[in-house]
Amino acid sequence: MKRIVRILSLTILLVSASLARVVWADDSNNNSNLEQRLDALEQQVAILKRQIENSKDDAADKATTTPIVTANSKDGFSIKSPDGNYSLKIGGYTQVEARDFAANNKEEQGQVSSIIPRRVRLIIQGTVAHDFDFFLQPDFGYSNTYSDSGGTISSSPGAYAVALQDAWIDWRHFPDFTIKAGKFKPPFDLENLQDTRYTDFVELGLAGNLSPQRDVGAQVGGNLYYDWITYAAGLFDGAADKENGYGGYNSGGDTNSRDGVGRLFITPFKHSNIEALQGFGIGYAVTYGKEKGTDLPTYVSPGQAPVFAYNSGVSAAGPQLRTEPQAYYYYKSFGILGERVDDYESLQYKAGSTTYRDRPDNKAFNIEANYVLTGEDASYNGVVPRHDLNLSTGDWGAFELVGRYGELKVDKSIFSENFSNLNTSILSETDWATGLNWYLNRNVKLAAGFEQTKFRRGATLGSGTNNGDNRKTENLFTGLAQLSF
């Protein structure tokens, strides 16, 4: 019996040992397979990590090299590098103007009711190497250029022409000290410095007759104390009153010498807690130069009819000084803007062996107000509708009521000393206007207005009973359709 037990025990021990070897072999095989699988997984994870890193690098490279292209109602069409160092914007605007003169002055002024593309301007602007801006603005519209024939200047529109309104570059590394050079608006007339798309009326007020419109030169300027102070000062080629840069006349050329122009404008409450005063600004501008030659201006009515010119043979001959105090105020839907120009210009002409000289002081001012009937904010930079025109939702855009009053007075000594003739040139003009502007959206504006201008002297119907008469009152209806982007 004991022998049987021993045999069974030995048998069980042998079977257990065999099973242990089998199990151990299986475990070894499983461990080996598991290690192989782990190695394979680690290799796949490593591959995925490399792929993810490569994708990130590719995305980063793409983000730094792919330009950002946008098109919207505010900035037009633009393309910009991701770092913002280079950009290009393309925009522009078209203003189609309708002029309808009342019958009582069409004949005398030689004006006819007409519909003209008053301004058709392409705007190309951008940034190069982060610190340099450029701006180009050619105009393809109906050109109100001046011509000089025998000393008598006419401002009749010179038909359709291509003119370069603006072409400048600007270095703006320091926001409070920028350098600008090229052809642009001198820092002088407050209304003229507005973008034409945002002015209350199609044409400038009477003060614009005594101000240079654009000139070629260089200036420094900037904003100080968080835009509390804006300043600009520059040296320009020299532009006559109402002249658009040199060569503004078809003959006579640019005979003016250099002009110094400076402007200081302060918005003392812009960052204050007094909301009602944040939109108040006041400033002063001045130009000075020694002029010579026959590059003299003509003055026009709001309907752009020529109403004043110097006699043949009169020329500029010495210092010219212009000064302009200016101010605006905007609060919620209400805005008001005003300016006054004093223009002292040295003149001369020869009669035989005698030279006559004078330094008259011509004066002009205009004040204009606007009120946005639909509740949007009024501003120096135009009105942005709260809701665009959408008939399905009952939205009509923004409506703005505008008004203007102005005067231009020519120095009496100009006529008493025969520098001009009261039978053909006015002594003064007084103007008032009102209108309604409709902003369908940020890009489309329609406007309608009426303007009446009364004159002293300057009747143009010939001699006899007309000598000493006043030029007939100009009654002008205007309409405007504007598309900008």
Coordinates of all heavy atoms in Angstrom, one line a residue, residues 411-461:
D411 N -11.8 142.6 -49.6 CA -11.3 143.9 -49.1 C -11.7 145.0 -50.1 O -11.4 144.9 -51.3 CB -9.8 143.9 -48.9 CG -9.3 145.0 -48.0 OD1 -9.8 146.2 -48.2 OD2 -8.5 144.8 -47.1
K412 N -12.3 146.1 -49.7 CA -12.7 147.2 -50.6 C -11.6 147.8 -51.3 O -11.7 148.3 -52.4 CB -13.5 148.2 -49.8 CG -14.9 147.7 -49.3 CD -15.6 148.8 -48.5 CE -16.9 148.4 -48.0 NZ -17.7 149.4 -47.3
S413 N -10.4 147.8 -50.7 CA -9.2 148.5 -51.3 C -8.8 147.8 -52.6 O -8.2 148.4 -53.5 CB -8.0 148.4 -50.4 OG -7.6 147.1 -50.1
I414 N -9.2 146.5 -52.8 CA -8.9 145.8 -54.1 C -9.6 146.5 -55.2 O -9.0 146.7 -56.3 CB -9.4 144.4 -54.0 CG1 -8.4 143.6 -53.0 CG2 -9.4 143.7 -55.3 CD1 -8.9 142.2 -52.8
F415 N -10.8 147.1 -55.0 CA -11.5 147.7 -56.1 C -11.2 149.2 -56.2 O -11.1 149.7 -57.3 CB -13.0 147.6 -55.8 CG -13.4 146.1 -55.7 CD1 -13.6 145.5 -54.5 CD2 -13.6 145.3 -56.9 CE1 -14.0 144.2 -54.4 CE2 -14.0 144.0 -56.8 CZ -14.2 143.4 -55.5
S416 N -11.0 149.9 -55.0 CA -10.6 151.3 -55.1 C -9.3 151.5 -55.7 O -9.0 152.6 -56.3 CB -10.7 151.9 -53.7 OG -9.7 151.3 -52.8
E417 N -8.4 150.5 -55.7 CA -7.1 150.7 -56.3 C -6.9 149.9 -57.6 O -5.8 149.6 -58.1 CB -6.0 150.3 -55.3 CG -6.0 151.1 -54.0 CD -4.9 150.7 -53.0 OE1 -4.0 150.1 -53.5 OE2 -5.1 151.1 -51.9
N418 N -8.1 149.5 -58.2 CA -8.2 148.9 -59.5 C -7.4 147.5 -59.6 O -6.9 147.2 -60.7 CB -7.6 149.8 -60.6 CG -8.5 151.1 -60.7 OD1 -9.7 151.0 -60.6 ND2 -7.8 152.2 -60.8
F419 N -7.4 146.7 -58.5 CA -6.9 145.4 -58.6 C -8.0 144.4 -59.2 O -7.7 143.3 -59.6 CB -6.4 144.9 -57.3 CG -5.1 145.5 -56.9 CD1 -5.1 146.7 -56.2 CD2 -3.9 144.9 -57.2 CE1 -3.9 147.3 -55.8 CE2 -2.7 145.5 -56.8 CZ -2.7 146.7 -56.1
S420 N -9.3 144.9 -59.1 CA -10.4 144.1 -59.6 C -11.5 145.0 -59.9 O -11.4 146.2 -59.6 CB -10.8 143.0 -58.6 OG -11.8 142.2 -59.1
N421 N -12.5 144.5 -60.6 CA -13.6 145.4 -61.1 C -14.9 145.0 -60.6 O -15.4 143.8 -60.7 CB -13.6 145.3 -62.7 CG -14.6 146.2 -63.3 OD1 -15.4 146.8 -62.6 ND2 -14.4 146.4 -64.6
L422 N -15.6 145.9 -59.9 CA -16.9 145.6 -59.3 C -18.0 145.3 -60.3 O -19.0 144.7 -59.9 CB -17.3 146.8 -58.4 CG -16.8 146.8 -57.0 CD1 -17.2 148.1 -56.3 CD2 -17.2 145.6 -56.2
N423 N -17.8 145.6 -61.5 CA -18.8 145.3 -62.5 C -18.8 143.8 -62.9 O -19.7 143.3 -63.6 CB -18.6 146.2 -63.7 CG -19.0 147.6 -63.4 OD1 -19.8 147.9 -62.6 ND2 -18.3 148.6 -64.1
T424 N -17.7 143.1 -62.6 CA -17.6 141.7 -62.9 C -17.3 140.8 -61.7 O -17.5 139.6 -61.8 CB -16.5 141.5 -64.0 OG1 -15.3 142.0 -63.5 CG2 -16.9 142.2 -65.3
S425 N -16.7 141.4 -60.7 CA -16.4 140.7 -59.5 C -17.2 141.2 -58.3 O -17.4 142.4 -58.1 CB -14.9 140.8 -59.2 OG -14.1 140.1 -60.2
I426 N -17.6 140.3 -57.4 CA -18.4 140.6 -56.3 C -17.6 141.3 -55.2 O -16.3 141.1 -55.1 CB -19.1 139.4 -55.7 CG1 -18.1 138.4 -55.1 CG2 -20.0 138.8 -56.7 CD1 -18.7 137.3 -54.3
L427 N -18.2 142.0 -54.3 CA -17.6 142.6 -53.1 C -17.8 141.6 -52.0 O -16.9 141.5 -51.1 CB -18.2 144.0 -52.8 CG -17.7 144.7 -51.6 CD1 -16.2 145.0 -51.6 CD2 -18.5 146.0 -51.3
S428 N -18.9 140.9 -52.0 CA -19.2 139.9 -50.9 C -20.3 139.0 -51.3 O -21.0 139.2 -52.3 CB -19.6 140.6 -49.6 OG -20.9 141.3 -49.8
E429 N -20.3 137.8 -50.6 CA -21.4 136.9 -50.8 C -21.8 136.3 -49.5 O -21.0 136.1 -48.6 CB -21.0 135.8 -51.8 CG -19.8 135.0 -51.5 CD -19.5 133.9 -52.5 OE1 -20.5 133.2 -53.0 OE2 -18.3 133.7 -52.8
T430 N -23.1 136.1 -49.3 CA -23.7 135.5 -48.1 C -24.5 134.3 -48.5 O -25.3 134.4 -49.4 CB -24.6 136.5 -47.4 OG1 -23.8 137.7 -47.1 CG2 -25.1 136.0 -46.1
D431 N -24.3 133.2 -47.8 CA -24.9 131.9 -48.2 C -25.5 131.2 -47.0 O -25.0 131.2 -45.9 CB -23.7 131.1 -48.7 CG -24.1 129.6 -48.9 OD1 -25.0 129.3 -49.7 OD2 -23.6 128.8 -48.1
W432 N -26.7 130.6 -47.2 CA -27.3 129.7 -46.3 C -27.8 128.5 -47.0 O -28.1 128.5 -48.2 CB -28.4 130.3 -45.5 CG -29.7 130.7 -46.3 CD1 -30.0 131.8 -46.9 CD2 -30.8 129.8 -46.5 NE1 -31.2 131.7 -47.5 CE2 -31.7 130.5 -47.3 CE3 -31.1 128.5 -46.2 CZ2 -32.9 129.9 -47.7 CZ3 -32.3 127.9 -46.6 CH2 -33.2 128.6 -47.3
A433 N -27.7 127.3 -46.3 CA -28.1 126.1 -47.0 C -28.7 125.1 -46.0 O -28.4 125.2 -44.8 CB -26.9 125.4 -47.6
T434 N -29.5 124.2 -46.5 CA -30.1 123.2 -45.6 C -30.2 121.9 -46.5 O -30.3 122.0 -47.7 CB -31.5 123.6 -45.1 OG1 -31.9 122.6 -44.1 CG2 -32.5 123.7 -46.2
G435 N -30.3 120.8 -45.8 CA -30.3 119.6 -46.6 C -30.6 118.4 -45.7 O -30.6 118.4 -44.4
L436 N -30.9 117.2 -46.3 CA -31.2 116.0 -45.7 C -30.3 114.9 -46.2 O -30.3 114.7 -47.5 CB -32.7 115.6 -45.8 CG -33.1 114.3 -45.1 CD1 -33.0 114.4 -43.6 CD2 -34.5 113.9 -45.6
N437 N -29.6 114.2 -45.4 CA -28.7 113.1 -45.8 C -29.3 111.8 -45.3 O -29.7 111.7 -44.2 CB -27.3 113.3 -45.2 CG -26.6 114.6 -45.7 OD1 -26.9 115.0 -46.9 ND2 -25.7 115.1 -44.9
W438 N -29.3 110.8 -46.2 CA -29.8 109.5 -45.9 C -28.7 108.5 -46.1 O -28.2 108.3 -47.2 CB -31.0 109.2 -46.8 CG -31.6 107.9 -46.6 CD1 -31.5 107.0 -45.5 CD2 -32.5 107.2 -47.5 NE1 -32.2 105.9 -45.7 CE2 -32.9 105.9 -46.9 CE3 -33.1 107.5 -48.7 CZ2 -33.7 105.0 -47.5 CZ3 -33.9 106.5 -49.3 CH2 -34.2 105.3 -48.7
Y439 N -28.3 107.8 -45.0 CA -27.3 106.8 -45.0 C -28.0 105.5 -45.0 O -28.5 105.0 -44.0 CB -26.4 106.9 -43.8 CG -25.7 108.3 -43.7 CD1 -26.3 109.4 -43.1 CD2 -24.4 108.4 -44.2 CE1 -25.6 110.6 -43.0 CE2 -23.7 109.6 -44.1 CZ -24.4 110.7 -43.5 OH -23.7 111.9 -43.4
L440 N -28.0 104.8 -46.2 CA -28.7 103.6 -46.3 C -27.9 102.5 -45.6 O -28.5 101.5 -45.0 CB -28.9 103.2 -47.8 CG -30.0 103.9 -48.6 CD1 -29.7 105.4 -48.8 CD2 -30.3 103.2 -49.9
N441 N -26.6 102.6 -45.6 CA -25.7 101.7 -44.9 C -24.4 102.4 -44.8 O -24.3 103.6 -45.2 CB -25.6 100.3 -45.5 CG -25.4 100.4 -47.0 OD1 -24.4 101.1 -47.5 ND2 -26.2 99.7 -47.8
R442 N -23.4 101.7 -44.4 CA -22.1 102.4 -44.3 C -21.5 102.8 -45.6 O -20.7 103.7 -45.7 CB -21.1 101.4 -43.6 CG -19.7 102.0 -43.3 CD -18.7 100.9 -42.8 NE -19.1 100.5 -41.5 CZ -18.6 101.0 -40.4 NH1 -17.7 102.0 -40.4 NH2 -18.9 100.4 -39.2
N443 N -22.0 102.2 -46.7 CA -21.4 102.4 -48.0 C -22.2 103.3 -49.0 O -21.7 103.8 -49.9 CB -21.2 101.1 -48.7 CG -20.3 100.2 -47.9 OD1 -20.8 99.2 -47.3 ND2 -19.0 100.4 -47.8
V444 N -23.5 103.5 -48.7 CA -24.4 104.2 -49.6 C -25.0 105.4 -48.9 O -25.5 105.3 -47.8 CB -25.4 103.3 -50.2 CG1 -26.3 104.1 -51.2 CG2 -24.8 102.1 -50.9
K445 N -24.9 106.6 -49.6 CA -25.5 107.8 -49.0 C -26.2 108.5 -50.1 O -25.7 108.7 -51.3 CB -24.3 108.7 -48.5 CG -24.8 110.1 -48.0 CD -23.5 110.9 -47.6 CE -23.8 112.3 -47.3 NZ -22.6 113.1 -46.9
L446 N -27.4 109.0 -49.8 CA -28.2 109.9 -50.7 C -28.4 111.2 -50.0 O -28.6 111.2 -48.8 CB -29.5 109.2 -51.1 CG -29.4 107.9 -51.8 CD1 -30.9 107.4 -52.0 CD2 -28.7 108.0 -53.1
A447 N -28.4 112.3 -50.7 CA -28.6 113.6 -50.1 C -29.3 114.5 -51.0 O -29.2 114.5 -52.3 CB -27.2 114.2 -49.8
A448 N -30.1 115.4 -50.4 CA -30.8 116.5 -51.2 C -30.7 117.8 -50.4 O -30.8 117.8 -49.1 CB -32.2 116.1 -51.4
G449 N -30.5 118.9 -51.1 CA -30.4 120.2 -50.4 C -30.8 121.4 -51.2 O -31.0 121.3 -52.4
F450 N -30.9 122.5 -50.5 CA -31.2 123.8 -51.2 C -30.2 124.8 -50.6 O -29.9 124.8 -49.4 CB -32.6 124.2 -50.9 CG -32.9 125.6 -51.5 CD1 -33.1 125.8 -52.8 CD2 -32.9 126.7 -50.6 CE1 -33.3 127.1 -53.3 CE2 -33.1 128.0 -51.1 CZ -33.3 128.2 -52.4
E451 N -29.7 125.6 -51.5 CA -28.7 126.6 -51.1 C -29.0 128.0 -51.8 O -29.2 128.0 -53.0 CB -27.3 126.2 -51.4 CG -26.2 126.9 -50.7 CD -25.0 126.0 -50.5 OE1 -24.9 124.9 -51.0 OE2 -24.1 126.4 -49.7
Q452 N -29.0 129.0 -51.0 CA -29.2 130.4 -51.5 C -28.1 131.3 -51.2 O -27.6 131.4 -50.0 CB -30.5 131.0 -51.0 CG -30.9 132.3 -51.6 CD -32.1 132.9 -51.0 OE1 -32.1 133.6 -50.0 NE2 -33.2 132.7 -51.7
T453 N -27.6 132.0 -52.2 CA -26.4 132.8 -52.1 C -26.8 134.2 -52.6 O -27.2 134.3 -53.8 CB -25.2 132.3 -52.8 OG1 -25.0 130.9 -52.4 CG2 -23.9 133.1 -52.4
K454 N -26.6 135.2 -51.8 CA -26.8 136.6 -52.2 C -25.5 137.3 -52.3 O -24.5 137.1 -51.5 CB -27.7 137.3 -51.2 CG -29.1 136.8 -51.2 CD -30.0 137.6 -50.3 CE -31.5 137.1 -50.3 NZ -32.4 137.9 -49.5
F455 N -25.4 138.2 -53.3 CA -24.1 138.9 -53.7 C -24.3 140.4 -53.6 O -25.4 141.0 -53.8 CB -23.7 138.5 -55.1 CG -23.6 137.1 -55.4 CD1 -24.7 136.4 -55.9 CD2 -22.5 136.3 -55.0 CE1 -24.7 135.1 -56.2 CE2 -22.5 135.0 -55.3 CZ -23.5 134.3 -55.9
R456 N -23.2 141.1 -53.3 CA -23.1 142.5 -53.4 C -22.2 142.8 -54.6 O -21.0 142.4 -54.7 CB -22.5 143.2 -52.1 CG -23.5 143.2 -50.9 CD -22.8 144.0 -49.8 NE -22.6 145.3 -50.2 CZ -21.8 146.2 -49.5 NH1 -21.1 145.7 -48.4 NH2 -21.6 147.4 -49.9
R457 N -22.7 143.6 -55.5 CA -22.0 144.0 -56.8 C -21.7 142.8 -57.6 O -22.2 141.7 -57.4 CB -20.8 144.8 -56.4 CG -21.0 146.1 -55.6 CD -21.9 147.1 -56.3 NE -21.3 147.6 -57.5 CZ -20.5 148.7 -57.5 NH1 -20.3 149.4 -56.4 NH2 -20.0 149.2 -58.6
G458 N -21.0 143.0 -58.7 CA -20.5 141.9 -59.5 C -21.5 141.5 -60.6 O -21.4 140.4 -61.1
A459 N -22.5 142.4 -61.0 CA -23.4 142.0 -62.0 C -22.6 141.8 -63.3 O -21.6 142.5 -63.6 CB -24.4 143.1 -62.3
T460 N -23.0 140.8 -64.1 CA -22.1 140.4 -65.3 C -22.8 140.5 -66.6 O -22.4 140.0 -67.6 CB -21.7 138.9 -65.1 OG1 -22.9 138.1 -65.0 CG2 -20.8 138.8 -63.9
L461 N -23.9 141.3 -66.7 CA -24.7 141.3 -67.9 C -24.3 142.5 -68.8 O -25.0 142.8 -69.8 CB -26.2 141.4 -67.6 CG -26.8 140.2 -67.1 CD1 -28.3 140.4 -66.8 CD2 -26.6 139.0 -68.0

